Structure formats: structure tokens, C-alpha cells
Amino acid sequence: MKKMIALLTVIMLLLSACGNGGNSASSNGDKGNAAPAAGEESNAASSGGEIKIGALFNVTGGQASLDGPSLAGFQLAAEEINANGGINGKQVKVVSIDAKTETLSAANGMQELIDVQKVPVVAGFSDTTYVLAAGPIAQEAGIPFITSGATSPLIPDQVGDFMYMAAFGDDAQSYAISDYSMDKLGAKTVWVLTDTSSDFTVNVSTFFKDRFTSKGGEVVLEDKYDGAADTDFSAQITRLKSLPVLPDVLMVSALPDKAGIVVKQIREMGIDTPIVSADGFDTPALVEMGGTPQTNNVFFATHVALENSDEQVQSFVKAYTDKTGNAPENGFAALGYDTMYLIADAITRAGSEDPKAIRDALNETSGFKGVTGEIGYGSGRVPDKSVTIIEVKEGKFEFRENITPEK
């Protein structure tokens, strides 16, 4: 009996040990399962939350007709990115500040985005003057700043190695409209009118004149005005009319808030000569202020033809129209859209929100296909892109051709 009890006791102990061993095995199994779960939880944590991206645009004031559409395109791209899972699993939060077309507000806005909002990257502006007011602040803080629409090719070197452009340079668009004036409009002589209040307009005129004269053209008269103050251009137009022979084309280097006014006054003084310009004319304000048919026989260089049948262009046009209730106002809407995707691409490849890692990823950007063309920074921080020539006809912007000018 005692042997039986002892045997039963041993059996019970063995069963208990097996049970404990089973439980231990199960526990190890749970830990084994827990490791992936912890990994999944860690991934979920890294894929949760949001990424703040700064948007510094002039949505009021004289630059609003360019920057308003740019911001709308930028926000549209962010919504699409979020709908597709975000960037590295995080949702994009666009932090937007209106610089009000004021250089002080531009500087203060950049400071707020960096110091208060703690954004790792900023996009914005369609004009060089405001980029140069805000860019040095981003550079000092080591924050990448991509201007969606400013076009001075000097910007990256003027600001520093955290500064990038999404658009072509003023040299490219000025050369393109100069070439078009000579090759397609048959121009050999030109009158140049320049708004001296803006780096952009001064640059455009300078590059245009250099190109035009280098190819045998003649600048028969130059004139200027202060775009910050002047609204009456009769004195300049009178000097133009006093020439023995009118030039073949009129180059008007103007900002969006004055472009239509200048054109209208030229036409009202009886001059029907072709007028050419750069992307400062790519705004609904040109026709709204200039009128129809006064803005007929006007040609300008810009970033994209929105009626282009290209699938990527039309996909953007539809998405923008669905979001805003109206078709894209100009090419600057597409530039804002491309800039958001350019930033998302860099952060994705960087695998990090560290500003220096984003900067390094931007430097490696190559063959990025945007609505406004292909972007790469292999030869510098100004992309080489084709330039679109638009003709204004009965209030409509009609595509003429794409030009990639030799520099």
C-alpha cells in the first residue's frame, strides 16, 4: 500500500512537473508571440501620429493670385497622401501661415513655423523677394525650405544648402520667351518695361535682354516703374508711341497685380503689338484687370499647360476641381501640388523627420515626375525643366509649345 501511495505520489509529481513544463512552454510561446506583437505595437506607434509640414504663402495681398492656388494645390496633395496611408505611416498636417505679401510677415512666419510649430521642413512662396526674406531664417535653423514658385536661379546660393526650388529659374523662362519672340513671332526689336520693385521682374528683364541681344535682336527703348506705387503708365507708353517705328514686341516684366493694368493701358493707347512676359502673367488677374479683347496677342512663359492631355496633368486638374469647385487657376496650383509630393518623397526615402536627413534625401532626388515636369537636383538645387509658352486668346490661356532653352 505504501508502495502504491509512493508510486501515485511520484506520478502526481511527474504530472505536476509536466503541467508546469507545459505552462512554461506555453509562456515561452506567448513571449515568442509577444515579441512580434511588441514589434507590431512599435510599428503602430511609429506609424501613428502626424508629421507637421510648414506652408508659408502670401494668400492675401498682391501675390494672392499665385500663392492662393499654390497653397490649395499643396493641401490637395497632402490630403491625397493621407488617404493613401500618409508618409511612413504618419498623417501629414499642413501648418499654414499667411505672409500677407509683406517681407516682415514672411520672416516672422518662418520664425513661428520653426520655433513654435517645430516643423522639419517648409514650403512656400511664388516670388523671390519673400523667399529671400524668410529663407535665411530656415537656413540658420537647418530646416529645408523648398520654394514652390519663386524662380530666381540665384536663390539656393544666396540662401544656403537647405534651400531648394521646385520651379525652373528665371533664366530658363526668360530665354524661352525671348526665343519664342524671335523664332515664332519674328521679332527683331523690342521695348522693355520693368517693375523695379521686385527681384523677380528685374531678373526676368535682365535675362530676356541678354538672350535677345545675344541672338542679334535690338532693345530700342527701356522704361521702368515702381510696382509698389505706380498704377498710371501713360508716361512710359507715350514714350513708346513717340518712337519713329514701334518695336516688333513689347516685353512687360510685371507682377500679377499690375500685369493686366499695364496691358489694358497699352491697348487703350492704340498699340496692338504682341506683348510677351514671364510667369507673373500666369494669373486670372491678367484677364480680369486687363479685359477682353485687350489681352489678346499676349504670350507668356510658365510652368504647365493645364489643358495638356497628359494623364498626370488631367488627373491633377480633376482632383483640384473636385476639391475647390473650380479648375486650377494657373500653373502655380500645380507647383504647390508637386512640392508637397516632392517633400513626401524625400521624407519617405530619408525614413526620418530629421531636417538634415530630409536635406540629404532632397539632394539625391532624381527623375521625380511632377505635373509641372521632371525634377532632379543632381546638378544643383535648381531643376532643369521645360518651359511652357501660353497665348491669351479671348480670355483663355491656350498652349503653344514647350521649350527647353539652351543656356
Side-chain angles (χ1 to χ4, degrees):
M1 183 67 178
K2 288 181 179 180
K3 289 182 180 180
M4 180 64 70
I5 292 172
L7 180 60
L8 290 171
T9 301
V10 170
I11 292 171
M12 291 296 294
L13 289 170
L14 288 171
L15 290 172
S16 176
C18 290
N20 287 337
N23 288 340
S24 296
S26 175
S27 177
N28 287 336
D30 287 344
K31 285 181 181 177
N33 291 331
E40 289 166 9
E41 185 174 324
S42 175
N43 289 337
S46 67
S47 66
E50 62 188 18
I51 299 175
K52 287 184 176 182
I53 295 179
L56 189 57
F57 290 93
N58 292 310
V59 295
T60 56
Q63 285 285 309
S65 66
L66 303 186
D67 277 11
S70 290
L71 178 58
F74 193 76
Q75 291 170 326
L76 168 62
E79 291 177 8
E80 291 179 352
I81 290 165
N82 285 340
N84 286 296
I87 303 175
N88 296 333
K90 292 188 178 182
Q91 294 286 285
V92 175
K93 180 180 180 181
V94 175
V95 182
S96 175
I97 292 179
D98 178 12
K100 305 173 184 178
T101 315
E102 299 169 356
T103 53
L104 180 59
S105 294
N108 290 341
M110 180 64 81
Q111 202 76 61
E112 181 179 344
L113 287 170
I114 294 169
D115 293 344
V116 179
Q117 298 297 335
K118 309 293 185 184
V119 299
V121 59
V122 179
F125 295 135
S126 304
D127 183 81
T128 302
T129 299
Y130 304 97
V131 172
L132 294 180
I137 297 169
Q139 178 66 30
E140 184 177 355
I143 300 296
F145 180 25
I146 306 171
T147 172
S148 57
T151 47
S152 168
L154 306 176
I155 287 173
D157 289 338
Q158 287 176 312
V159 175
D161 62 335
F162 281 83
M163 183 79 237
Y164 297 82
M165 292 169 57
F168 48 58
D170 286 329
D171 51 349
Q173 66 170 329
S174 299
Y175 294 166
I177 194 62
S178 176
D179 289 352
Y180 188 85
S181 297
M182 302 187 83
D183 299 341
K184 298 301 172 70
L185 301 180
K188 296 181 180 178
T189 57
V190 63
W191 172 67
V192 178
L193 177 65
T194 306
D195 175 0
T196 58
S197 71
S198 162
D199 295 319
F200 158 70
T201 47
V202 171
N203 286 340
V204 164
S205 287
T206 299
F207 286 123
F208 179 93
K209 289 183 294 181
D210 289 348
R211 184 69 157 200
F212 197 82
T213 56
S214 71
K215 294 182 68 174
E218 180 187 1
V219 179
V220 295
L221 179 65
E222 287 189 62
D223 221 321
K224 60 186 179 180
Y225 67 94
D226 179 0
D230 296 342
T231 56
D232 181 356
F233 309 101
S234 57
Q236 293 92 332
I237 301 170
T238 298
R239 284 190 285 272
L240 167 63
K241 288 192 69 173
S242 69
L243 291 171
V245 179
L246 286 177
D248 298 324
V249 294
L250 314 177
M251 170 60 182
V252 177
S253 189
L255 293 173
D257 60 335
K258 295 296 191 301
I261 299 173
V262 177
V263 170
K264 183 177 183 180
Q265 292 184 21
I266 289 172
R267 299 306 192 214
E268 287 177 343
M269 291 184 71
I271 301 173
D272 295 325
T273 303
I275 296 172
V276 300
S277 193
D279 63 353
F281 272 42
D282 190 3
T283 166
L286 174 66
V287 175
E288 291 167 5
M289 296 182 179
T292 302
Q294 293 94 325
T295 48
N296 286 349
N297 210 19
V298 170
F299 304 82
F300 62 85
T302 191
H303 305 272
V304 64
L306 294 169
E307 69 273 17
N308 190 320
S309 60
D310 177 82
E311 183 178 351
Q312 188 173 3
V313 174
Q314 289 310 307
S315 176
F316 160 71
V317 170
K318 182 180 186 307
Y320 188 95
T321 304
D322 290 345
K323 172 181 167 58
T324 65
N326 56 264
E329 295 87 346
N330 49 33
F332 290 89
L335 283 171
Y337 183 84
D338 283 351
T339 302
M340 179 69 251
Y341 272 106
L342 184 65
I343 290 171
D345 174 68
I347 296 175
T348 299
R349 286 185 288 108
S352 168
E353 295 154 49
D354 175 70
K356 290 183 179 178
I358 297 171
R359 186 270 312 269
D360 293 344
L362 283 168
N363 285 337
E364 296 172 358
T365 300
S366 176
F368 174 87
K369 297 187 184 301
V371 174
T372 60
E374 190 169 295
I375 298 174
Y377 296 117
S379 60
R381 286 164 284 131
V382 183
D384 290 325
K385 300 166 73 175
S386 64
V387 179
T388 297
I389 304 299
I390 298 290
E391 179 182 0
V392 186
K393 185 177 288 186
E394 300 304 325
K396 305 294 183 182
F397 290 177
E398 297 188 1
F399 171 72
R400 284 294 160 260
E401 65 177 281
N402 285 324
I403 298 174
T404 303
E406 294 182 5
K407 296 186 179 181

